[in-house]
Amino acid sequence: LNVLHSELAKQLADTMILPIIQFREKDLTEVSTLKDLFGLASTEHDVSMAKYSRLPKRKENEKHKAEVAKEVANARRKQHLSSLQYYCALNALQYRKRVAMMEPMLGYTRGQVWATKLHIQGELDAEAEKMRISQQDLISVNESVYTPDSDVTSPVINRNLIQKAGYLNLRNKTGLVTTTWERLYFFTQGGNLMCQPRGAVAGGLIQDLDNCSVMAVDCEDRRYCFQITTPTGKTGITLQAESRKEYEEWICAINNISRQIYLTDNPEAAAIKLNQTALQAVTPITSFAKKHEAHHPSQNVKPTDNGKTTPSESAGIQDSTQLIALGTPIQFDIVLPATEFLDQNRGGRRANPFGESEDGSKDEEEDSLLQQMFIVRFLGSMAVQSDNTSEVIYEAMRQVLAARAIHNIFRMTESHLMVTSKNLRLIDPQTQVTRASFELATVTQFAAHQDNKRLIGFVVHLHETPGEESMSAYVFESNTEGEKICYAISLGKEIAEAQKDPEALAQLMKSVPFTNDGKFVLLNDQSEEDGATREEGEESEA
């Protein structure tokens, strides 16, 4: 019995204890060392990326920019090589641990242990050879692969993404006026934007993307910045991508996710169809009858046997080319910058924030019985050929929104739209500069979008020179329903018309309540809502 126990102890020591000690001291130590090297390379890469992210837009020092870009490329190459060695060791560890865990359990039979060793050693050699070839291929590639934003002129952008992952710089406020930028790993999961700091076991929720909006912003003289806004209009987070390709793909992916495409049976097909619809939206449609037929075929023009519409059924349908000429350019920014105080074309004036007026502007405002302000964002304007129907406004909205979607124009200028009984004025919210002014008599058509109630448009009829007239459609997005703006404009026209007849004016004044200073009371709940919206810093969801 003593001999049996001695032999058993020897077998256990040789076949179970010794392999475990060797596995711990050799294999795990190697992986731990490679992990430390990979961490050092990653830290060095982060430092170079932080230096690269701080590069300004100006092009005075191209040599410095080239040096920084080369430093980033070298850091990335070093990080890539160390990561490949680390991953190769991890993969090898997966095979070696089979042997290390199997030997103690199968130590009583050396034959099976050796057979297993030979089999696994063959797989390990094949995997090591495969990884070696991959490393050689990656080492021999061009340096431009590691250079950030190397394809800035013509990047290949995938606009149909429904999920995205990668590193972004997150803007954090550290004080009233100071901010810091932190480079973190972001990824989307369903309708959520997740973030996983280095060393964390799992990611955490950063932003719910359902029904949110995303737009490009200028932030601290940094490139490729964009901002995510909540459905309530509250400003969310500001992020910075490292290249134009990443910048545009992140914006497109968040925009697709916000429309809840990921909930459909085939999200990829839905995203492709959505982008194709945006491309087709700027293709001129022959008539509104055909556009309506695409959505409501049973309620539309019925073709005859030869495929032509009958005159009686197509009567009253106006061709879209009669409303807006083909190829009409779209202007996405008609308002002045905040630094310009006078508009040479429209003669805009700056309002004094202390209540004092210039050239009798205060008297003009006091004479107006109606003064209602709305927060709007300018989407675009274009010349039109007719103002006889509100369809011209709907067609202008369609073309402006489609052009913005195709050209990835997300930036919009916020203004205060002041509706009075004399004119419509666009006022800069920060400087109180009157950016644009339209006489109410020249506004010949106005309407809100039938589906998106926050879209509002109007047509202005101007007499530029004797005998020459021009009509332009202006499209805005409001913080509230466009019908309320239409109601204010309509009431302003009624007041202007009623002022010609004292009896009609008196009747109108009886039907609408007044404020303490003698102005018409309009949309009380709206004014409060606009005030709360301005305090929250409402942004666009277009």
Side-chain angles (χ1 to χ4, degrees):
L1 188 60
N2 289 335
V3 173
L4 180 59
H5 285 174
S6 300
E7 188 66 20
L8 180 59
K10 183 179 178 180
Q11 290 291 333
L12 290 176
D14 294 338
T15 60
M16 184 173 69
I17 304 301
L18 182 61
I20 292 177
I21 294 175
Q22 292 176 344
F23 177 75
R24 183 190 63 190
E25 294 179 353
K26 180 182 178 182
D27 298 332
L28 295 184
T29 303
E30 178 186 0
V31 172
S32 178
T33 302
L34 292 175
K35 177 183 177 182
D36 294 339
L37 293 176
F38 174 65
L40 293 175
S42 299
T43 303
E44 184 179 345
H45 175 247
D46 287 346
V47 173
S48 61
M49 278 303 304
K51 187 184 299 184
Y52 177 79
S53 298
R54 290 195 295 269
L55 287 177
K57 295 180 180 178
R58 301 186 301 272
K59 300 182 178 179
E60 286 85 348
N61 196 345
E62 294 296 328
K63 182 179 179 181
H64 178 62
K65 291 183 179 180
E67 292 176 354
V68 174
K70 187 174 181 180
E71 181 181 347
V72 173
N74 293 334
R76 283 186 173 177
R77 180 185 291 272
K78 183 177 179 181
Q79 183 195 32
H80 205 171
L81 289 175
S82 62
S83 65
L84 288 175
Q85 294 172 354
Y86 178 41
Y87 299 154
C88 183
L90 286 176
N91 291 334
L93 183 63
Q94 302 305 312
Y95 293 96
R96 289 171 180 165
K97 76 174 184 179
R98 296 186 193 177
V99 179
M101 296 298 105
M102 193 179 297
E103 276 189 342
M105 295 183 293
L106 304 179
Y108 61 92
T109 167
R110 292 182 176 275
Q112 188 171 357
V113 169
W114 281 104
T116 306
K117 273 188 174 182
L118 292 175
H119 175 69
I120 293 178
Q121 189 65 38
E123 292 184 357
L124 174 60
D125 292 341
E127 181 67 20
E129 181 66 18
K130 182 179 178 182
M131 293 297 295
R132 188 187 64 81
I133 295 175
S134 298
Q135 291 184 41
Q136 292 296 330
D137 293 340
L138 290 171
I139 292 173
S140 62
V141 298
N142 195 304
E143 187 175 348
S144 62
V145 175
Y146 297 95
T147 304
D149 220 5
S150 59
D151 54 350
V152 65
T153 55
S154 58
V156 180
I157 301 170
N158 185 359
R159 306 183 189 279
N160 304 322
L161 295 173
I162 56 171
Q163 57 183 3
K164 179 74 176 169
Y167 279 93
L168 295 172
N169 291 336
L170 173 65
R171 182 173 180 262
N172 296 316
K173 285 188 176 181
T174 57
L176 293 177
V177 294
T178 58
T179 59
T180 60
W181 293 81
E182 184 178 7
R183 190 167 183 267
L184 299 170
Y185 184 77
F186 288 85
F187 61 96
T188 60
Q189 189 175 55
N192 299 323
L193 179 63
M194 313 291 287
C195 172
Q196 184 171 353
R198 180 174 297 173
V201 178
L205 176 64
I206 291 294
Q207 182 79 48
D208 184 3
L209 299 180
D210 285 345
N211 299 318
C212 73
S213 61
V214 57
M215 59 186 297
V217 293
D218 288 328
C219 190
E220 301 179 8
D221 197 28
R222 285 179 174 244
R223 302 172 298 169
Y224 310 132
C225 294
F226 58 95
Q227 187 178 82
I228 302 175
T229 306
T230 63
T232 59
K234 186 177 181 181
T235 303
I237 57 177
T238 301
L239 301 169
Q240 181 192 20
E242 67 177 44
S243 64
R244 178 187 169 189
K245 179 178 183 296
E246 289 291 305
Y247 163 76
E248 296 197 14
E249 285 189 352
W250 269 106
I251 290 179
C252 291
I254 294 174
N255 191 38
N256 291 336
I257 294 172
S258 67
R259 302 182 185 184
Q260 299 182 352
I261 296 177
Y262 63 92
L263 297 177
T264 59
D265 294 335
N266 193 344
E268 291 81 3
I272 294 173
K273 183 178 179 181
L274 181 66
N275 285 278
Q276 288 178 347
T277 303
L279 290 172
Q280 295 170 357
V282 292
T283 304
I285 299 176
T286 305
S287 67
F288 282 99
K290 291 185 178 180
K291 182 171 74 172
H292 187 66
E293 181 181 4
H295 299 284
H296 308 283
S298 61
Q299 303 175 5
N300 222 325
V301 182
K302 297 180 180 179
T304 58
D305 295 338
N306 56 5
K308 298 181 180 179
T309 57
T310 59
S312 60
E313 293 171 333
S314 60
I317 302 297
Q318 194 170 8
D319 196 334
S320 63
T321 57
Q322 297 176 3
L323 302 176
I324 300 176
L326 297 178
T328 300
I330 299 175
Q331 193 167 356
F332 296 108
D333 192 3
I334 64 166
V335 296
L336 289 176
T339 55
E340 297 187 26
F341 295 150
L342 293 177
D343 188 333
Q344 298 178 357
N345 297 327
R346 301 188 180 87
R349 290 192 296 269
R350 182 178 184 180
N352 194 309
F354 299 100
E356 301 175 359
S357 61
E358 299 177 1
D359 301 333
S361 61
K362 181 178 180 181
D363 296 336
E364 292 179 4
E365 292 181 1
E366 290 180 350
D367 291 341
S368 177
L369 293 174
L370 171 67
Q371 288 186 23
Q372 185 68 17
M373 187 183 70
F374 303 89
I375 298 178
V376 297
R377 285 168 291 279
F378 178 71
L379 298 179
S381 66
M382 59 192 310
V384 298
Q385 300 184 126
S386 173
D387 61 351
N388 298 328
T389 173
S390 59
E391 294 291 345
V392 66
I393 297 178
Y394 302 145
E395 178 66 15
M397 290 178 178
R398 184 186 69 82
Q399 293 196 22
V400 167
L401 292 178
R404 278 182 168 271
I406 288 176
H407 300 293
N408 281 335
I409 301 176
F410 303 103
R411 185 178 293 110
M412 288 173 287
T413 304
E414 186 174 279
S415 302
H416 290 171
L417 175 64
M418 177 68 75
V419 181
T420 69
S421 58
K422 296 181 179 180
N423 54 28
L424 303 178
R425 287 188 295 135
L426 289 175
I427 302 174
D428 188 292
Q430 297 179 350
T431 63
Q432 300 302 309
V433 173
T434 299
R435 289 170 164 166
S437 179
F438 307 99
E439 294 295 330
L440 202 60
T442 62
V443 180
T444 57
Q445 195 70 240
F446 51 91
H449 196 276
Q450 297 166 328
D451 298 325
N452 188 349
K453 302 300 183 180
R454 296 174 65 177
L455 291 182
I456 173 71
F458 56 81
V459 177
V460 178
H461 198 145
L462 299 176
H463 299 273
E464 297 181 345
T465 57
E468 293 187 6
E469 299 179 350
S470 66
M471 290 177 289
S472 297
Y474 296 84
V475 181
F476 296 86
E477 181 191 45
S478 171
N479 281 359
T480 53
E481 294 183 5
E483 291 292 343
K484 296 183 179 181
I485 302 179
C486 292
Y487 172 72
I489 297 175
S490 176
L491 183 59
K493 284 183 169 289
E494 291 182 14
I495 294 173
E497 188 65 26
Q499 284 178 336
K500 302 175 183 178
D501 186 358
E503 294 182 1
L505 180 60
Q507 187 67 25
L508 181 62
M509 292 170 67
K510 291 180 180 180
S511 61
V512 181
F514 281 81
T515 61
N516 295 331
D517 56 353
K519 303 294 189 301
F520 279 98
V521 175
L522 286 181
L523 315 175
N524 292 331
D525 56 339
Q526 168 58 25
S527 61
E528 295 175 1
E529 185 176 342
D530 285 350
T533 304
R534 290 192 297 272
E535 292 176 4
E536 294 177 0
E538 175 113 14
E539 297 293 341
S540 170
E541 65 175 27

